[in-house]
Amino acid sequence: MARKASGDHLAGLAGLAAPLALTAVLIPFRVSLPNTDAALALVLVVVAVAAAGYRLAGVLAAVSAAVWFDFFLTVPYERFTITRAADIETTVLVLAVAVAVTEIAVWRRRQQAAAARRAGYLDGINAAARAVFAGSSPQAVIDEVCGQLTSLLSLSGCRFQDGAAGIGRPPELLAEAGGLLQGRFLLTPGPRVQLTLEQRLVAVALADQAAAALGGGQLASRQ
């Protein structure tokens, strides 16, 4: 959490400073440089800041770009006043495009994070399935599933108990195979987190893997 806050602060500072630095560089050329070219350069700076996926940094960069474009690169110079309609349109476009780019970057970052989470969920299910199909002992599979559940649900503890379902205290996750109850995972919640439907479904799938191992072990013992 501290690392994320530090990243937010650094990105926010970059969002404020980068457009100002670019407009300062362009000041000697502002008479000959078309304002549309300067605006495009500022949008590219905002794109670079927004690429990190921090909305606040992107918005700050967009506002900073529009403000310093107005102050340094439009007539009258070094005043927060715009006298030409074309410059007004360009300033508004700089702000609008920069904000739009920021939203796209934030959406892309969220999609990447969601894809990474789904890949992690699949890896957990695959690890449990490999333990089952490799003929690992039921206890080894239970230990694997407990570890995966602890990571998936941010638990502070997880243990398996044979027998019938309890009363839900502590929270429990039933392990069933072939319509037969093999036992239950007793879950000790960790820090308060809001679980998604996707996480709950993955947890059920993991419990099913443990139940399959236990059901297979019982069948083998009968034979």
Side-chain angles (χ1 to χ4, degrees), residues 6-201:
S6 177
D8 287 344
H9 292 154
L10 290 175
L13 290 174
L16 289 172
L20 174 59
L22 178 60
T23 51
V25 170
L26 295 178
I27 287 174
F29 312 100
R30 62 189 176 187
V31 175
S32 58
L33 181 70
N35 275 358
T36 51
D37 292 349
L40 179 59
L42 285 168
V43 168
L44 292 177
V45 168
V46 175
V47 169
V49 172
Y54 296 102
R55 174 180 281 112
L56 178 60
V59 171
L60 288 175
V63 173
S64 178
V67 167
W68 299 124
F69 175 80
D70 171 19
F71 189 77
F72 286 116
L73 303 179
T74 63
V75 178
Y77 297 128
E78 297 171 16
R79 290 177 57 189
F80 289 112
T81 303
I82 304 177
T83 57
R84 295 185 299 189
D87 289 339
I88 295 175
E89 293 175 0
T90 303
T91 303
V92 171
L93 284 174
V94 167
L95 181 60
V97 172
V99 170
V101 167
T102 295
E103 291 302 316
I104 292 172
V106 170
W107 175 84
R108 178 174 173 272
R109 190 184 188 200
R110 287 180 176 174
Q111 293 301 310
Q112 289 176 331
R117 284 195 302 270
R118 294 189 187 101
Y121 298 158
L122 290 176
D123 287 343
I125 294 174
N126 288 336
R130 284 195 299 270
V132 173
F133 290 116
S136 301
S137 68
Q139 186 58 51
V141 176
I142 288 171
D143 291 343
E144 173 68 30
V145 170
C146 261
Q148 296 292 343
L149 288 173
T150 299
S151 175
L152 172 70
L153 305 177
S154 300
L155 303 175
S156 61
C158 172
R159 62 187 178 90
F160 184 80
Q161 185 177 77
D162 293 319
I167 58 174
R169 294 181 181 178
E172 61 184 33
L173 179 62
L174 302 183
E176 297 178 300
L180 298 176
L181 179 66
Q182 303 296 332
R184 56 184 178 145
F185 288 94
L186 302 179
L187 312 176
T188 304
R192 193 174 186 86
V193 293
Q194 187 69 33
L195 299 179
T196 65
L197 176 61
E198 194 172 32
Q199 286 173 300
R200 296 172 187 270
L201 293 174

